[in-house]
């Protein structure tokens, strides 16, 4: 069983990736919670029906994912869950953006990158 110090050892590259993947979920969670009505509308434009169910599922996944990844709780399973979540986000953005790649032009590059990072974490455990 790994000690707490081992989970936060900055010389372990997987700890860095795990913690960053968990922390990067927090701004997205905060933005969803800050304007739920706007988030529902955004999910409606992404054609994710019913939008409220999708939004609340995403909020739950972001809470579980951020806590699980930052604190190394069931890392393999949490990382796999977040990876699926990010692949769905990639698909939704791809579908709405008509296949744009670059995130700064509305493309799906950003969520796909984080999905792949979470797959690596899930493989590592």
């Amino acid at each position: 069983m790994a000690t707490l110090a081992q989970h936060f050892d900055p010389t372990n590259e997987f700890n860095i990736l795990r913690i960053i993947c968990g922390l990067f979920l927090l701004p997205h969670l905060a933005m969803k919670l800050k304007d739920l009505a706007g988030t529902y509308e955004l999910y409606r434009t992404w054609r994710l029906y019913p939008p409220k169910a999708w939004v609340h599922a995403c909020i739950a996944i972001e809470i579980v994912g951020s806590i699980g990844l930052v604190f190394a709780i069931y890392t393999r399973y949490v990382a796999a869950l977040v990876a699926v979540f990010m692949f769905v986000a990639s698909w939704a953005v791809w579908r709405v953006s008509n296949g744009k790649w670059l995130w700064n032009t509305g493309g799906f590059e950003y969520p796909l990158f984080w999905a792949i990072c979470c797959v690596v974490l899930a493989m590592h455990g």
Side-chain angles (χ1 to χ4, degrees):
M1 178 132 177
T3 66
L4 185 62
Q6 289 173 317
H7 289 307
F8 292 97
D9 177 10
T11 62
N12 182 326
E13 62 277 3
F14 285 104
N15 284 344
I16 295 167
L17 181 62
R18 175 182 50 77
I19 292 167
I20 286 176
C21 284
L23 291 176
F24 274 43
L25 292 171
L26 294 175
H28 297 274
L29 172 63
M31 292 307 294
K32 282 179 186 69
L33 294 174
K34 182 179 175 184
D35 182 16
L36 274 176
T39 305
Y40 297 147
E41 191 56 41
L42 178 64
Y43 278 57
R44 198 171 284 111
T45 63
W46 286 346
R47 299 188 309 258
L48 296 172
Y49 299 111
K52 285 186 179 183
W54 278 97
V55 169
H56 291 284
C58 290
I59 288 170
I61 290 169
E62 288 172 337
I63 290 170
V64 168
S66 60
I67 292 169
L69 291 176
V70 169
F71 296 105
I73 302 169
Y74 295 109
T75 303
R76 183 177 306 257
Y77 304 108
V78 171
L81 174 68
V82 174
V84 170
F85 165 68
M86 295 306 290
F87 279 124
V88 170
S90 301
W91 166 77
V93 174
W94 169 80
R95 187 172 64 161
V96 171
S97 72
N98 295 317
K100 286 184 186 173
W101 170 249
L102 296 175
W103 69 271
N104 54 341
T105 61
F108 66 100
E109 167 195 25
Y110 182 81
L112 183 62
F113 170 78
W114 288 110
I116 293 167
C117 288
C118 287
V119 167
V120 170
L121 284 174
M123 291 169 59
H124 183 267

